[in-house]
Amino acid sequence: MEAAAENAVLVESLRAAVPLHMMQLASRSPEELIRIAAESATVVGSQGDVLQFRSTKRGETAKAFNALARGLAAAALVAWGGATFAGLHWCTIRHCPGPDAEHPEPTHGETHA
């Protein structure tokens, strides 16, 4: 999503918000994290344009932003290799340099959540 990577306010806001959501969601089960990520994707998919073109409706842009940050956090916690968006990467590997870094192979049925 090249346009998102060019939006400095969005990128810097996500840089702060996603780790906070990861801390809040860390104790959730993998099934719940998958559900949260899917719900967030639905919100972003239907209202994501307000992230680029601010909504005139009060709270709508914040709702879409929070859904994006929460969904990325949930995905980062449950997906092997983490989540990458707009040039940023989050995962459960401490100090992970990015999506192409070595990520330990999960054992059968295991996630990093």
Side-chain angles (χ1 to χ4, degrees), residues 89-106:
H89 177 74
W90 303 274
C91 76
T92 59
I93 306 300
R94 191 168 173 84
H95 304 297
C96 178
D100 297 327
E102 280 292 319
H103 291 91
E105 290 286 333

Side-chain angles (χ1 to χ4, degrees), residues 5-109:
E6 295 173 4
N7 185 332
V9 173
L10 177 63
V11 170
E12 294 308 313
S13 297
L14 288 171
R15 189 182 309 273
V18 173
L20 293 174
H21 281 284
M22 288 177 73
M23 289 180 357
Q24 291 174 339
L25 298 174
S27 65
R28 307 288 179 97
S29 70
E31 295 78 19
E32 191 171 358
L33 292 169
I34 291 167
R35 181 187 55 74
I36 289 167
E39 289 172 356
S40 296
T42 299
V43 172
V44 173
S46 64
Q47 300 173 353
D49 59 324
V50 300
L51 294 171
Q52 187 173 8
F53 308 105
R54 186 180 167 108
S55 175
T56 57
K57 292 183 184 175
R58 183 169 171 82
E60 193 169 82
T61 301
K63 178 182 176 185
F65 173 80
N66 283 321
L68 177 60
R70 187 171 169 86
L72 286 168
L77 290 168
V78 78
W80 176 75
T84 302
F85 178 79
L88 299 174
H89 177 74
W90 303 274
C91 76
T92 59
I93 306 300
R94 191 168 173 84
H95 304 297
C96 178
D100 297 327
E102 280 292 319
H103 291 91
E105 290 286 333
T107 58
H108 181 68

